[in-house]
Amino acid sequence: MLKNIIAPSILSADFSKLGQEVRLIEDAGADWIHVDVMDGHFVPNITIGPAVVSSIRPATKLPLDVHLMIKNPGKYIESFAKAGSDIITFHSEIEEDPREVIKLIKYYNKKAGISIKPKTGIGAIEKLLPMVDMVLVMTVEPGFAGQNFIMDCLPKIENLRKIFKKDIEVDGGINEETAIDCRKSGANALVAGSYVFGAKDYSAAIKNLRGGA
Ligand code: DX5
Ligand code: ZN
């Protein structure tokens, strides 16, 4: 039975007090800490790197769920692994051979995730499914927090759930309404940035996302 996971994305946290924010969402009931890494090449935004992962590592016992929206993830697996990541997810749309990147993540004994953008079909990752621990289905175009959920991604989640029995994570535009849609479609791990960090009460926001589940 898969656990219902809430993974707040620190992309929407107050970066001037990141350690405190991480402790607050752990106390508020988060399951994972989602870390959105962007390089300004794979996506038109730049965020954080391994140094920030290692600086927040001591602040929480929760798994660090690192989402690499970067062009050459293979070059950075070692540094993100040694920084304390627990799950390392990269995108199927990269030029490198995804099988080599997955093997490298496993070499460092981390969980391997593969992510697909809204316009990428599950056919692009079908052959990789036996190798990975998680699939991250983007429900917005990667790059920025606070975007609207793309409803057309729901059938993709349903079709993926029919052939993939491990963790399916969704990321982008997740709030209490879209969380219900995603869970109904078969996702069990929800990333939420602006909905959680935009709330006055983090634990109420996380409870709303769980919707009693
Ligand atoms: C997109 C980012 C965002 C972030 C979540 O590249 O990955 O999806 O995690 O942002 P919200 O929850 O604000 O859409
Ligand atoms: Zn993400």
Side-chain angles (χ1 to χ4, degrees), residues 9 34 36 38 67 69 138 140 142-146 171-173 191-194:
S9 162
H34 189 79
D36 280 312
M38 302 179 195
H67 176 194
M69 290 163 272
M138 290 307 294
V140 294
F144 298 91
D171 180 358
V191 173
S194 44

Side-chain angles (χ1 to χ4, degrees), residues 20-162:
Q20 189 182 331
E21 292 272 72
V22 166
R23 277 186 288 275
L24 284 174
I25 47 168
E26 177 171 8
D27 296 345
D31 297 293
W32 297 346
I33 307 284
H34 189 79
V35 182
D36 280 312
V37 178
M38 302 179 195
D39 64 359
H41 296 283
F42 185 75
V43 290
N45 192 4
I46 298 177
T47 58
I48 51 183
V52 175
V53 173
S54 43
S55 65
I56 63 171
R57 180 67 281 175
T60 178
K61 296 179 304 310
L62 295 180
L64 296 183
D65 170 35
V66 175
H67 176 194
L68 300 180
M69 290 163 272
I70 66 175
K71 200 160 173 265
N72 301 308
K75 274 172 58 183
Y76 300 96
I77 299 304
E78 181 179 5
S79 45
F80 278 101
K82 289 186 174 168
S85 311
D86 295 283
I87 305 164
I88 302 178
T89 298
F90 66 98
H91 272 261
S92 69
E93 299 89 354
I94 54 168
E95 280 127 43
E96 291 174 303
D97 180 350
R99 285 161 304 182
E100 293 310 311
V101 181
I102 295 166
K103 280 184 213 158
L104 202 47
I105 296 169
K106 296 291 193 181
Y107 172 79
Y108 288 102
N109 297 317
K110 304 300 178 185
K111 285 194 167 189
I114 188 84
S115 184
I116 44 177
K117 292 185 185 179
K119 293 189 186 72
T120 304
I122 52 178
I125 55 167
E126 215 155 341
K127 289 200 180 64
L128 303 172
L129 295 181
M131 295 177 74
V132 297
D133 303 290
M134 178 168 84
V135 174
L136 168 51
V137 178
M138 290 307 294
T139 44
V140 294
E141 203 51 44
F144 298 91
Q147 301 176 77
N148 291 332
F149 183 89
I150 301 172
M151 296 302 278
D152 291 355
C153 295
L154 290 172
K156 190 193 308 185
I157 302 167
E158 280 163 38
N159 293 332
L160 177 63
R161 183 45 87 202
K162 288 178 191 146

